[in-house]
Amino acid sequence: MSVVFLSTGPPTVSAEQLRAIAKSYDVVVDAHEEEHYRHLLNGLDATSQLVEALPAYTDPRLLPDSSTLPRTYERLAGNAEKNPLNTWSHRTSITDPKPLDKRLEGRTIVVKDNVSIAGVPLTGGTFPELLTGKTEYPIPQIDAVVVKRVLESGGVLKGSANCEHFSMSPLSFTSASGPVHNVWLKGYTTGGSSSGCAATVAATQARTWRKKHGLPPNDEELGESVDMAIGGDQGGSIRIPAAYAGIYGFKATHGLVPYSGIISLVPFIDHTGPMTTTLVDNALLLSVLVGYDGMDPRCTPETPLRANVPDYCGLLEAWKAEKESNGEWTPQAAGRGLRVGVLKEGLEVVGLSDEVKAVISAAIARFKAVGADVQEVSIPMHVLGPSIWTVVTRPFITSNGLQNRATPFLGYAMPDITPPVFDQKAYEVLNKHNPAVVNMFFNSAFMNAKPDANQQLAKAMGLVQQLRDVYDEALTDFDVLLTPVNPRVGSKHPEYAMDVEKKMEPAIGATLNTCQFNVTGHPALSMPAGWGKVSDGPGMLPVGMQLVGKRFDEMSIFKAAAAWEVGGKGLDRWNGQLN
């Protein structure tokens, strides 16, 4: 292969620069060869300057429809009066006057604040100085694909919801604007990193639930809410907050929902998807979001074209109708024909509380009661999944997720996100607000500095395939696998003044049943299964159940969840007390 550089003007690369570059490799260039290599570097420098001078190109498929412009917004983050639970980042109201269809007509939707909305500031849950090196947040010129699809289906985009610093916390106290509170018990976590999404949807859930159970409204405590949200999940960040908030959160198969226009952590584990108050709404929003976009390298040959996207709602209703015609859509028979594998190791993860285990045990009994074939299945490698997830992602966390370095795959690279170099000032801010981000910088540097870093990474990638294979093998015998989501009932927000250990302690173990499926790509739903007592107070908070299916078989999960709920909704398993 030949390398051709443009001819150059006066040299710009000094001999000292060349020597410094060579020294970084522990190489000494012979004196008589220095001028040759310096000349080649000078040519490269001129070539890069030429590219730098070219105008940037924005894929027209990401540009907002002109009929939705202009757009206005109001920043609500940290506004206690208008935003009592600190769920909102920026509020707006965007509709398409001529949508392509009406599936979401009149439905209100919010997106996680790592999703681009043209004309609305993007925060990534952090401070602008840490996102761009400037004092102002970037204002995207594009709509993420999921935003465009919501608008094309008649949805009302209400704005962006707060999220955790760089999407790196399973709890909800690390956002730059302060803690995001649980709608059921203020002062407690609503889970992360899609914290604001979970809480804005859960506020709608709480209003409906309180009315159903004859409790007085508490609208002033909840603030404005929405019907649906679009969250992000790299280790559990849709499912964990959905579980803590008592809503439905779906991490679909990797590559099924395009990620174009969303801040990445590591493409290998990036997922985006629906968070809703009901299972049917989850199926509806997923149908709107799914399908190849022609840009996202996360999509695979298995990702359906838009014309071939399943109508999850229609298919679910047809399946219900068939069961009804057979007299099976009853609390005693709705689950007939479904095979549910209770993952033994999922009920043995470190830190799983008795409260959560009791709720999940009752949920398993419900599956049996509705007629499903329920059996325990052992997958010993499940307990190794978090370690594999850690080793395979840590080398890339800094360059991809914390510095937004473009990957060697064609795709939209979020050019407005230009974090500065990690330094003492950044350390002090992050150490106070989210030590997990500091830990990621240290983790990435440590992993990459190992003499055998490449061999270890290659081995970990092979283990990912093995992990995928063992789940696939188990799923030949079952339609879904069942685990808890959150190992413990939600905890109180820690104080910023606490030391690192105390701030991070409540998050330990939070992803032990979720992160595996980010690296293997299997679809997984979090749904409310019941209530559990908090360990540090008198209150009750929701507990989530996770259903995992074959890759690109979201329908089996929806069927199993729907059959389970014929016996009653998870949040209806209530003892009459919230606090």
Side-chain angles (χ1 to χ4, degrees):
M1 180 182 70
S2 62
V3 179
V4 178
F5 296 125
L6 295 177
S7 60
T8 66
T12 57
V13 179
S14 68
E16 288 74 19
Q17 285 177 288
L18 169 63
R19 291 167 193 154
I21 292 168
K23 185 177 181 181
S24 71
Y25 293 105
D26 290 327
V27 167
V28 176
V29 178
D30 293 338
H32 72 279
E33 299 283 16
E34 276 192 354
E35 188 59 26
H36 174 69
Y37 283 111
R38 191 171 73 88
H39 177 72
L40 291 174
L41 283 176
N42 192 53
L44 172 61
D45 190 40
T47 301
S48 67
Q49 289 179 37
L50 182 146
V51 173
E52 179 66 24
L54 294 174
Y57 175 76
T58 300
D59 195 309
R61 290 171 291 186
L62 291 170
L63 293 174
D65 191 300
S66 60
S67 65
T68 69
L69 303 175
R71 297 173 176 181
T72 59
Y73 62 86
E74 179 183 12
R75 178 163 171 75
L76 292 184
N79 185 327
E81 182 179 351
K82 294 184 177 181
N83 193 15
L85 298 175
N86 196 34
T87 54
W88 291 85
S89 179
H90 292 84
R91 183 171 59 190
T92 184
S93 186
I94 305 169
T95 57
D96 188 333
K98 295 182 180 179
L100 300 179
D101 63 73
K102 297 183 178 181
R103 285 177 289 174
L104 296 180
E105 185 175 30
R107 310 305 295 277
T108 54
I109 297 101
V110 71
V111 299
K112 184 178 180 179
D113 201 5
N114 67 342
V115 178
S116 296
I117 306 172
V120 178
L122 182 67
T123 79
T126 188
F127 298 100
E129 293 83 359
L130 297 180
L131 194 65
T132 64
K134 302 176 183 178
T135 58
E136 300 292 333
Y137 287 112
I139 298 180
Q141 301 304 304
I142 61 105
D143 280 340
V145 167
V146 292
V147 168
K148 292 183 74 72
R149 290 180 176 176
V150 161
L151 295 174
E152 288 171 352
S153 287
V156 182
L157 185 65
K158 297 298 291 184
S160 56
N162 279 326
C163 64
E164 305 310 299
H165 258 289
F166 288 104
S167 297
M168 287 191 185
S169 176
L171 304 180
S172 66
F173 70 92
T174 74
S175 177
S177 64
V180 177
H181 298 286
N182 196 300
V183 304
W184 305 100
L185 202 57
K186 191 170 184 178
Y188 281 73
T189 188
T190 195
S193 60
S194 305
S195 48
C197 288
T200 50
V201 172
T204 298
Q205 179 88 303
R207 286 186 171 94
T208 302
W209 184 89
R210 292 180 73 90
K211 184 176 181 180
K212 178 178 180 179
H213 292 279
L215 297 176
N218 62 340
D219 292 347
E220 290 186 1
E221 298 175 20
L222 299 177
E224 185 176 356
S225 61
V226 295
D227 299 318
M228 304 169 169
I230 299 173
D233 192 314
Q234 280 90 7
S237 288
I238 286 174
R239 291 159 289 161
I240 292 170
Y244 283 125
I247 63 171
Y248 301 76
F250 210 130
K251 182 203 77 66
T253 304
H254 188 251
L256 187 62
V257 181
Y259 204 83
S260 301
I262 305 175
I263 297 175
S264 170
L265 276 186
V266 178
F268 186 46
I269 57 172
D270 289 334
H271 297 74
T272 185
M275 303 176 75
T276 60
T277 61
T278 68
L279 185 69
V280 171
D281 275 358
N282 207 278
L284 171 63
L285 184 52
L286 186 61
S287 291
V288 168
L289 302 179
V290 163
Y292 181 58
D293 70 346
M295 291 175 279
D296 186 8
R298 298 166 187 80
C299 296
T300 75
E302 296 172 284
T303 304
L305 299 175
R306 289 286 282 163
N308 300 327
V309 169
D311 174 8
Y312 298 112
C313 270
L315 292 170
L316 186 60
E317 290 305 315
W319 179 73
K320 289 181 184 178
E322 182 180 0
K323 303 270 295 178
E324 285 178 344
S325 68
N326 294 332
E328 291 186 343
W329 200 243
T330 68
Q332 295 76 37
R336 285 181 187 169
L338 292 172
R339 302 165 301 165
V340 178
V342 177
L343 187 52
K344 175 178 178 289
E345 289 76 12
L347 287 167
E348 296 172 349
V349 295
V350 175
L352 186 70
S353 72
D354 290 340
E355 280 290 307
V356 170
K357 195 166 186 177
V359 172
I360 298 303
S361 296
I364 293 167
R366 165 80 66 78
F367 263 120
K368 294 177 180 178
V370 298
D373 178 10
V374 180
Q375 299 179 37
E376 183 179 83
V377 57
S378 177
I379 305 179
M381 202 173 180
H382 179 76
V383 298
L384 297 174
S387 297
I388 295 169
W389 171 81
T390 298
V391 172
V392 84
T393 58
R394 288 299 192 271
F396 306 109
I397 281 288
T398 293
S399 59
N400 291 156
L402 300 175
Q403 294 176 340
N404 194 39
R405 185 172 179 83
T407 66
F409 298 98
L410 185 61
Y412 187 75
M414 302 290 286
D416 295 329
I417 308 303
T418 54
V421 174
F422 181 61
D423 58 13
Q424 185 66 33
K425 183 177 180 181
Y427 162 78
E428 289 172 0
V429 172
L430 292 168
N431 186 60
K432 175 182 177 181
H433 291 272
N434 190 1
V437 181
V438 175
N439 185 49
M440 291 301 170
F441 275 105
F442 293 162
N443 280 191
S444 189
F446 176 79
M447 294 294 289
N448 288 320
K450 286 190 170 188
D452 62 344
N454 288 340
Q455 295 94 319
Q456 189 175 60
L457 181 58
K459 183 176 183 179
M461 284 290 188
L463 292 172
V464 168
Q465 186 63 57
Q466 183 182 5
L467 185 62
R468 176 187 282 191
D469 290 346
V470 297
Y471 289 131
D472 285 346
E473 183 179 357
L475 285 163
T476 61
D477 296 323
F478 299 100
D479 297 300
V480 294
L481 302 177
L482 186 156
T483 78
V485 180
N486 39 338
R488 296 174 293 276
V489 182
S491 57
K492 283 183 179 178
H493 293 307
E495 298 292 334
Y496 287 130
M498 289 180 175
D499 60 30
V500 170
E501 182 180 3
K502 290 182 179 179
K503 280 191 282 195
M504 294 190 68
E505 184 179 6
I508 294 173
T511 63
L512 290 179
N513 273 324
T514 57
C515 66
Q516 298 93 328
F517 304 110
N518 287 85
V519 290
T520 66
H522 289 85
L525 171 74
S526 171
M527 61 184 292
W531 298 86
K533 295 178 182 178
V534 300
S535 62
D536 48 7
M540 304 281 287
L541 285 173
V543 172
M545 169 173 64
Q546 179 175 234
L547 300 179
V548 180
K550 301 178 184 70
R551 287 178 300 114
F552 296 99
D553 183 20
E554 281 66 20
M555 272 311 303
S556 287
I557 295 176
F558 283 128
K559 288 177 181 178
W564 186 87
E565 290 194 332
V566 173
K569 299 290 180 69
L571 295 188
D572 290 340
R573 299 174 64 85
W574 179 51
N575 66 1
Q577 292 183 328
L578 282 180
N579 49 48

